[in-house]
Amino acid sequence: MSTVWMSELSWVDYRERIQRDRPPVLLPVGALEQHGPHLPLGTDGLLASAVAADTAGQVAGLVAPTLSYGYKSQPKCGGGQHFCGTTSVDAATLIGQVRDAVREFARHGVDKLVIVNGHYENQWFLIEGIDLGLRDLGPQATLQVMRLEYWDFMTPDTLADVFPDGFPGFALEHAAVLETSMMLHHHPSLVRIDLLPDDGPADFPPYDMYPTRTDWVPPSGVLSSARGADAAKGRLLADEVSRRMAEAIRTGFQRP
Ligand code: ZN
Ligand code: MN
């Protein structure tokens, strides 16, 4: 089987793959967002793209180029908008990109589109883009869309292995053990393990304030410690996520 990357195919080869094989097309969505001093700004898109590629290899799928700008970073799950380098789009922009993608892939003849989200804040705007895109296409459209957050494919057993002292929850896992371990597995040359900060879990009140209170967020931008991150944990997580995402794609598109 040839490449999983849509951007590496000619239009002729792409058309043949779509018409002959009816492959699922995976569309990663990330963000350009601070991830502490030790991880790159593109972490969310890099990880969404990496798990999408591993999954595509198991289901003979294609991976479309990542939507690399995400919805605005929030203090409680991404550190907030006050960090230099965090570069976000308005909700309407992200919704419009996803709506356009749904319509375009349907026009190509794609019938299985999988939107692989790697940035917590994107979720509801992806849902809205899918809904508007399918509404544009109308009830005769054959395209179905699966939307997922890749971290939801991590099982409690694996999280217990990765966090022997207890799992702090996905929201606080920003630039912490999960993302750092997965980056050490997929992109080790992009991780500055010597710069790992040691901030404890951020302690947020049960409300939000606007303008946001930047003093709620550790200056490093990391919301819980990344100590304990390693490539073996990253591999365990990455393998489980891609294996279970592939299962979901095999079964989830079957209409009752
Ligand atoms: Zn992230
Ligand atoms: Mn993020």
Side-chain angles (χ1 to χ4, degrees):
M1 186 57 66
S2 55
T3 180
V4 299
W5 302 108
M6 177 183 173
S7 60
E8 297 180 356
L9 295 173
S10 72
W11 80 270
V12 180
D13 292 340
Y14 171 74
R15 181 180 62 181
E16 189 185 326
R17 287 283 300 275
I18 297 299
Q19 292 180 349
R20 187 190 61 204
D21 303 336
R22 301 263 156 227
V25 173
L26 292 84
L27 175 62
V29 189
L32 195 56
E33 180 187 45
Q34 71 79 21
H35 274 74
H38 63 297
L39 293 177
L41 292 163
T43 291
D44 288 352
L46 288 167
L47 289 179
S49 176
V51 299
D54 281 357
T55 304
Q58 297 172 52
V59 294
L62 289 173
V63 181
T66 303
L67 300 181
S68 299
Y69 295 84
Y71 182 68
K72 295 155 196 166
S73 183
Q74 298 301 300
K76 290 180 181 175
C77 45
Q81 280 294 119
H82 57 290
F83 289 89
C84 187
T86 296
T87 312
S88 307
V89 296
D90 288 347
T93 308
L94 182 59
I95 291 167
Q97 281 193 302
V98 174
R99 180 183 193 164
D100 290 350
V102 167
R103 190 191 61 248
E104 288 291 82
F105 286 113
R107 181 176 64 77
H108 305 161
V110 172
D111 59 5
K112 296 179 281 294
L113 179 64
V114 184
I115 298 188
V116 180
N117 185 23
H119 174 61
Y120 207 82
E121 288 86 332
N122 287 342
Q123 179 169 343
W124 290 100
F125 310 114
L126 303 182
I127 292 170
E128 180 70 356
I130 294 164
D131 185 65
L132 296 182
L134 290 178
R135 195 168 75 188
D136 293 343
L137 293 172
Q140 308 311 326
T142 55
L143 176 72
Q144 299 182 78
V145 184
M146 175 180 288
R147 186 201 59 76
L148 59 88
E149 273 74 45
Y150 73 76
W151 49 82
D152 286 338
F153 289 77
M154 299 170 181
T155 59
D157 280 356
T158 298
L159 291 171
D161 286 347
V162 171
F163 295 93
D165 301 326
F167 176 49
F170 289 115
L172 286 187
E173 258 298 314
H174 177 73
V177 173
L178 292 182
E179 286 185 316
T180 304
S181 295
M182 289 184 71
M183 285 296 284
L184 284 167
H185 170 63
H186 285 295
H187 295 286
S189 67
L190 300 182
V191 182
R192 288 289 306 271
I193 207 76
D194 54 314
L195 297 182
L196 213 65
D198 203 15
D199 297 318
D203 185 22
F204 294 113
Y207 55 86
D208 297 324
M209 289 300 299
Y210 308 92
T212 57
R213 299 286 192 264
T214 57
D215 60 313
W216 291 0
V217 179
S220 69
V222 175
L223 301 184
S224 61
S225 178
R227 298 228 176 265
D230 62 52
K233 287 177 179 174
R235 184 189 179 133
L236 186 72
L237 293 163
D239 286 353
E240 175 165 80
V241 165
S242 64
R243 188 181 70 249
R244 299 187 73 230
M245 278 173 54
E247 276 168 32
I249 291 169
R250 284 190 205 102
T251 59
F253 285 97
Q254 294 166 16
R255 296 190 199 249

